[in-house]
Amino acid sequence: MTSYSSLTEREHDVLECTLQGLTVVQTSETLHLSTGAARDHLSSAVQKTATQTRREVARYAREKNWI
């Protein structure tokens, strides 16, 4: 698995939105990103943590106290 510092600031932001229950579209609007960029940041966080889904990566980040 990865460490807190290997995630970018935007990946952290996207994970926080995911934990709040926001969809990718809502996340993109909240963070003023395109929907594709929000998906890319989320996918990158999933890959870096070797998780499978956006909810799984958000739970993992919360368990590690990253967000």
Side-chain angles (χ1 to χ4, degrees):
M1 296 283 177
T2 191
S3 69
Y4 174 84
S5 62
S6 45
L7 296 179
T8 67
E9 183 178 337
R10 274 304 196 197
E11 289 166 349
H12 285 280
D13 294 342
V14 170
L15 290 176
E16 285 181 33
C17 289
T18 301
L19 273 175
Q20 293 172 15
L22 299 180
T23 65
V24 172
V25 171
Q26 292 168 323
T27 296
S28 67
E29 291 170 355
T30 299
L31 299 177
H32 307 287
L33 300 170
S34 70
T35 303
R39 279 193 184 104
D40 288 345
H41 290 301
L42 192 53
S43 293
S44 178
V46 167
Q47 286 183 329
K48 288 179 181 180
T49 57
T51 54
Q52 299 293 317
T53 66
R54 64 188 193 100
R55 289 194 174 143
E56 191 177 315
V57 69
R59 279 193 301 264
Y60 179 82
R62 183 179 51 200
E63 289 170 5
K64 296 291 185 179
N65 294 316
W66 294 351
I67 53 176

